Amino acid sequence: MNATLTGPTLAVLLIVAPLVLAIAAFLAPRFAGRFGFVNAALMPAAAAGLLAAVAESPLSYALGDWGAPLGIRLYADSLSGILLLATAVILACVTVHARGYFARSAIRSSFWPLVLFLHAALNGIFLSADVFNLYVALELLSLAAVALVALGNEAAAVAAAFRYLLASLVASLSYLLGVSLLYHGYGTLDLALLAEPGRHGAFPWAALALMTAGLAIKGALFPVHFWLPRAHAEAPAPVSALLSALVVKAPLYVLLRLWIGPFADVPQAVGELLGLLGCAAILWGSVQALRQERLKLLVAYSTVAQIGYLFLFFPLARATAVLDAVALFVLAHALAKAAMFLAAGNILACLGHDRIKELDRVAGRLPVSLAAFGVAGACLMGMPPSGNFVAKWLLVAAAFESGEWGWSLVVIAGSLLSAGYVFRVVGHAFTPEQAREGGAAISASMSVTPFLLALLALLLGLIAAPLVELVDSPLPGAATVVGR
Amino acid sequence: MVLAMLRNAMLLLVPLWPGLLALTSLALHGRRLGGLLAVAGTAPALLVALNAGAYREETYPWLLFGTRLGLDRADAVFLSFAAIVWILASVYALGTIRRESGRERFFGLFLLTMSGNLGALVAQDMPSFYAFYALMSFAAFGIIVHELTREARHAAKIYIVLVVIGEAALAAGMIIAAGATGSSDFLAVRAGLEAVPLRHFVIALAFVGFGIKAGVLVLHVWLPLAHPVAPAAASAVLSGTIIVTGLVGWLRILPVGEWALPGWGAACIGLGLAAAFYGAIVGMDQRRPKVVLAYSSISQMGIMTAGVGMLLMEPALAPALRVAIAFFALHHGLAKCSLFLGAGLANSVVHARARRWLVTGLALPSLALAGAPFTSGMVVKSAIVAAEAQLPPPWASALFYLLPLTSVATALLMARFLVLVRGLPAGTRPRASAGPWLAWCASLALVLLLPLWLAPTVGYAWAPPTFVDSAWPLGLALAVALVAIGLWRRAGRPALPEIPAGDLLLPVERLMLRAQRALAATAASVRPLGERVKRAGAAGRRRAWALIEVSGSAEALLDRWRTALLLALVLGAVLALLAR
Amino acid sequence: MNDGHAKRPGRLAATALALLVVLVFAGLVSAVLALPPTAAGLSADVGAALPRVGTDNPVTATLLAFRGYDTLLEMAVLLLAAVAIRALRHGRLPVMRSGDEILAALARVLVPVMVLVAAYLLAAGLDGPGGAFQAGAIAAAAGVLLVLAGRGLRLLDDGLAVRLGLAVGLLGFVAAGIAGMLVASAFLDYAPGRAATVMTLLEVAVAVSVALTLFEMFVSVLRCPIPGKAADAADRGRR
Amino acid sequence: MSAPLLYALVGVALFCMALHWVIACADPLRRILAVNVMSSGVFLVLVALARRVPGPSPDPVPHAMVITGIVVAVSATALAIVLASRMRSGAAGR
């Protein structure tokens, strides 16, 4: 099949297959897990195929053959391709882990359709080129994520889910009001058409503020990260992994698309503000992670900190390498954070609690999980050859290129702080009193998956060069090909 | 073609092979093979070092940002002795690391440290050097903490704090250098740094970052803590090759031989000489042999720091002096390896006669360090002395007088070491197997034979005047020692004030504790934040977190629905105002 | 650090909030006023494309054809919500018998009428005001009325038929999409001659799904005790 | 001021009032209701401004968007109510 045919087929497959499997899992709950595994097997291949197809030139596919502005377009370039692949790979690992994690749990039959919907929503977001369609897909994502958090089933999980849902609804409505202003101003919802310079006379500042604020809440940017720590900490571990690794990245991706598209000519000061908040997030999240007494909360606050790095994109948006840096960062953080949450889940499952002070009891029993946590932590610190290392390197290079090297100091301070909280946990591997008995057994597949993810995160830097080349080749904002 | 590919792969195997073996060792849960794997880990490094001329440079464009591995003449020296030290230490560890103490973890981390160490020695571009250097630094945490005693954990904690600071400084320096010169290659950075406005900042960061490994004064505090608690094999590699890697780092990134940096040169020479004497003096007051050796390392690294300072001051010295410094590192690494292995054996020596043999054996590397005639110390010191005459006026004469005095100090320090080893109580550990003894004897033989190989390589002629030059410091040391002991006896053998290992660290720790208490007290007087702090302080266990705890109440505020959404409104409003 | 224990928000905070909201309002008003007074939007494009889909109702055409993909995802949201609610509510729904004779009598009269209205709206949706959503909502209301009157309890079954009904809207769209890819030129492209047929089928499928899901949601919520003050502490507190 | 703009401003006012409500209220059910009013405000803005078309019939695209939005909002509301009631029964169970 030639490229023009495979691209659209794979794009549609990436959205439709998880939906169909979700329906199947809903209709036949007894086989739900198998449908999850079918999805886990199918999606990485499809995403890799799509990435290969769009590496040369971006894909623009008019659904229903209508074309913009009347219809909706799917759009994929290598940035979306990389994110789709990351989503597929991480979801596959989480699928394997979740089978063990939920083996004896009553909620497993509802977990599978929800997680498949989540996958479809993520793929839908990464493939959409229409601001209203993005709203619907974001809602699908939020509802799936909220329901998955609530599966944690304890009062704390349900309360966290409720707060997550309300925050995300308020944020969505803010975004939607922005969308309606954009539409009524410019008569189109298509990202590429909105980005056409001749289209707007006055700058759509109100839409920018509404949409950015909404997406910032959804993306848990400091100081509006209030919903994240508890939602991510109280959810079942495989869900936490998905939330921290992938779900918070989706609104950021939308913001990124807006920034290299319709909002490309926003005043620099707006970017500076977002960058400053990103810096504050790095420092604040890390400090909070340092003071947590529960492992999963520590990891959740680490996510608050790591999200900050992504917001450094905005002040540096005009530098050449910064998009590579951010793409790589998303990927690297996703792998490492998924590994950390799965490892934390193993510890929690084994001990029945996740109090950091008492982790020495687990060091002897779960060496692989603790090692996975350590390796993933080393990645977060930016240790080479991890993807984070290369990403941070590129980020600082971009800061120098724009002549604003002050940002780089925060990058480095964040690494120092993350070393602090990672060692709080990993240090327990080197404490003498290790009880080797007691606790629930952790299956091999459950211990290996986080380690595999951590290893991937660590080795990501080794293939950074080709990855960066991939992102570089088409300049996403500029090369938007509008369908008929 | 095939040969070229083989060479390309071979160089990559230098770090990769021990890395793979490390994973194997971790996977071989509870088997004895770990030590053998450690011995095997150095094979590619040895092969490469033996034929260094063929491995000038290989590139791996697919790796990181495009990795460049290779060896120049000085690097070949570093790599060969590093490989030797690793082999000796591995053989020694094979017989001494016990199963119940987590052998597979030790050898796994030992091999990872090796991978990082050997990799850094062949890396010629900043990202890969940094990668290997960081791997070495972090993996070494595991071999230092291996015994898991309270003391070991304290030492490892101090070590890791310094390592993290060092890594951050290095990352900052390297990234700035790369960003500013537009290249991540050491060669291009050394050349291009001159035009960079932030060059002094970069140099300062690199100096501090590598200085922590190299035991530069003030940054040296981890060495005397780590060495006595780490297994002897770990101490041998720490002092033998790992601290030298810091020196290699300096030689890579500092513009030695490119352009003159008189200020930095003077600072390095000054700090280096100060460390040479400070280490010796503080070391002489120690009670444990391995701590004395740690201080000796600080002292010896001081001389190498001074050598780097000479290079910075006078670029013309580069070709000869670079190699001389490399050989100095080689000589010191081998001698120190031998000393640490011997000191480790003291624990398993029961009979007095064996003790005498041990002390006699240890005298050989001690003499070499002191630069006694016919030892490697004499050869390398003469090479450095040859260079010092070319320095600008005050420095040439200063070094002329001070360098021999460092030999005097070293001689006194090593005498103290030998006395301490002789006075150790009879061994408590079961007799060591043959392996450790074999490793130690091999190291002695190498120390003995080293001058024969060194002399022609550094262009040293066996001339009698140099014998005299190297002999008189020993005589002076002997005289000083006799006078000092005489004075001490006459005064009625007073107890000498004891400087604890880690010297500067203790007052600093005490100061920090006091500052924390003061801050906590101040914060406690400010309500309502103070409530939390008071509680934290009263509990008494989380003092270090007192400040961080204060942030908790702010986070609790941010965690409220109302506050958070209010802030979201503010964010939206500010965004709108800025965008308008 | 619990809101429950904390005082009511201070006057300062309340004033700040009020001021901020007024500021936001002012900003939004000025943004709306800055929009051009007349704008065609996409109405011309929709009008031009209407003949190709064989319906006169531009909203239906937009929902099912031009922006059919939005509706596909919306059906996914609906099904997802049903799945989530089923997972989160406690066990099976109880049998609700009100025994209220007046309600039962009202149901007997109203339900057939409501079903009829729903059917009419569904049929009319293709050409004029009306459509699947309106029809579905009214049908759901009829179901709710039945349940309140103690009838129609078979609708509460967890059988495959009910689940199929919940999923049929999404399934229909997915099938139409794939068929479009195979038969016509793109996903969700309805072949020119058959567009009207496809859209009618989709209307029915969507209406069934909407009706069943809304009904299910309503009875789930009905079964849930209305959240009151007791929940406050659980939400706001830090546990 | 034209009628579409006036209605749109009413929508904006609804949105802002509900926003104030959602922030200031602690009661979960009231927050859910407030969010619903917020969405009504947005929908009103969307639909009202669709009337700015010169011809007789309004722009259909915002209408379609509103229908989609309503379904999404209903789904979210139902989930929110179920969660809120779970919270209450969970709290009661402890």
Side-chain angles (χ1 to χ4, degrees), chain C residues 8-9 14 17-18 21 24-25 28-29 32-33 35-43 46 58-59 62-63 67 70-71 74-75 77-78 81 84-85 87-90 133-134 210 214 217 220-221 224-232 234-236, chain D residues 1-2 5 8-9 12-17 19-20 23-24 26-32 45 49-54 57-61 63-65 67-69 71-72 74-79 81-91:
Chain C
R8 297 259 88 199
L17 175 60
V21 171
V24 169
F25 177 69
L28 289 176
V29 167
V32 169
L33 291 181
L35 290 173
T38 57
L42 290 172
S43 48
V46 172
V59 178
T62 309
L63 272 174
R67 299 190 67 84
D70 273 349
T71 313
E74 171 201 332
M75 286 291 114
V77 171
L78 210 57
I85 288 168
L88 293 175
R89 73 175 181 216
H90 292 293
F133 298 93
Q134 295 86 330
V210 168
L214 290 184
M217 283 173 182
S220 297
V221 169
C224 292
I226 298 303
K229 303 282 180 208
D232 302 4
D235 166 44
R236 283 169 290 136
Chain D
M1 188 186 292
S2 62
L5 276 185
L9 292 186
V12 167
L14 266 181
F15 179 86
C16 289
M17 278 160 55
L19 188 62
H20 183 274
I23 297 173
D27 182 45
L29 189 65
R30 285 192 196 172
R31 277 192 202 157
I32 297 173
V45 172
L49 292 176
R51 264 283 170 194
R52 294 176 305 154
V53 178
S57 55
D59 183 358
V61 175
H63 284 84
M65 283 158 69
I67 290 183
T68 306
V71 173
V72 170
V74 166
S75 309
T77 306
L79 184 59
I81 293 178
V82 169
L83 282 177
S85 79
R86 270 303 286 275
M87 257 167 27
R88 185 181 160 181
S89 60

Side-chain angles (χ1 to χ4, degrees), chain A residues 32-100:
Chain A
R34 289 189 201 168
F35 294 122
F37 270 81
V38 170
N39 183 64
L42 189 64
M43 288 293 109
L50 184 69
L51 182 57
V54 299
E56 290 299 310
S57 65
L59 159 85
S60 173
Y61 180 52
L63 291 170
D65 211 18
W66 298 108
L70 183 59
I72 298 171
R73 275 187 319 129
L74 295 185
Y75 173 82
D77 54 24
S78 22
L79 179 63
S80 11
I82 287 174
L83 289 173
L84 289 166
L85 185 58
T87 307
V89 169
I90 289 170
L91 244 136
C93 289
V94 170
T95 301
V96 173
H97 185 266
R99 205 176 75 122

